[in-house]
Amino acid sequence: TQLLEQSPQFLSIQEGENLTVYCNSSSVFSSLQWYRQEPGEGPVLLVTVVTGGEVKKLKRLTFQFGDARKDSSLHITAAQPGDTGLYLCAGVRSGNTPLVFGKGTRLSVIA
Amino acid sequence: EPEVTQTPSHQVTQMGQEVILHCVPISNHLYFYWYRQILGQKVEFLVSFYNNEISEKSEIFDDQFSVERPDGSNFTLKIRSTKLEDSAMYFCASSFRDAYSSYNEQFFGPGTRLTVL
């Protein structure tokens, strides 16, 4: 069974601070996707990383895929209250196989 | 922007009753999935569907579950005899991947909250 461990589980920070959340596994994934989920809603895709070492930026969010394609990180610069939510990483083993999700990091940004 | 839609948003049923959850995937997508999320837990895979047949299913997807694509647009999940532990959010997802795509991005619907009493 492939597991994705996300850390920290909970994070509460002040507006304007920077933060990094992590997604780690002992298994290799062909791609890894980051989602954001609001309470009572479905996961919304933020980004997909595919190549080992790849870095993608989405405004103040920076996503990195580990060189060995076993881990990933999400860095948020100058966090805002609108960034509050549950951030999920999900990996694909190969092809069209189903996503394996982590438990998520619940972020709270306080104004 | 195209999106996955699901109905109903909330379904309440009595234990032992049958329920059918409905999904309309993004129109040009080829692969369809059902996932569930029990309150406070992580999203879990149930089943994937491609070319009018199940391509993969998890241990959760037992004989009580079935999926169908009755027409060119709908994708349904049926639970024949619901149990208390089936209470969860059920998410439909779809993806498009052809021979030229190197990866598979899955887009999720808003979910159906199933409550079994």
Side-chain angles (χ1 to χ4, degrees), chain A residues 3 31 33 35 37 40-43 45 47-48 50 56 86 88 92-93 95-99 101-103, chain B residues 31 33 35 37 41-45 48 56 89 91 95-97 102-111 113:
Chain A
L3 293 176
S31 67
Q33 298 170 17
Y35 292 85
Q37 186 180 26
E41 299 181 12
L45 181 65
V47 78
T48 299
V50 180
K56 281 191 174 179
L86 179 66
L88 301 168
V92 176
R93 298 189 307 272
N96 290 299
T97 55
L99 290 168
F101 276 86
K103 289 186 177 180
Chain B
Y31 297 85
Y33 309 82
Y35 293 81
Q37 186 177 33
Q41 298 186 23
K42 63 181 178 182
V43 177
E44 302 174 289
F45 166 71
S48 57
E56 191 168 347
M89 282 287 286
F91 295 110
S95 69
F96 174 83
R97 184 171 183 265
S102 60
Y103 56 88
N104 165 26
E105 288 188 324
Q106 295 182 28
F107 295 87
F108 283 73
R113 180 172 298 282

Side-chain angles (χ1 to χ4, degrees), chain A residues 38-60:
Chain A
E38 302 295 339
E41 299 181 12
V44 175
L45 181 65
L46 296 175
V47 78
T48 299
V49 286
V50 180
T51 307
E54 181 177 10
V55 176
K56 281 191 174 179
K57 293 193 174 185
L58 186 66
K59 297 183 181 178
R60 293 176 293 101

Side-chain angles (χ1 to χ4, degrees), chain B residues 77-94:
Chain B
L77 173 69
K78 180 192 291 186
I79 309 175
R80 290 189 184 82
S81 178
T82 51
K83 303 186 285 287
L84 295 176
E85 54 264 38
D86 292 328
S87 294
M89 282 287 286
Y90 287 81
F91 295 110
C92 174
S94 69

Side-chain angles (χ1 to χ4, degrees), chain B residues 1 4 20 39-40 46 61 64 73 82 89 92 95 99-100 102 109:
Chain B
E1 186 167 330
V4 177
I20 299 176
L39 186 63
L46 293 178
F61 195 86
Q64 293 298 313
S73 61
T82 51
M89 282 287 286
C92 174
S95 69
Y100 305 101
S102 60

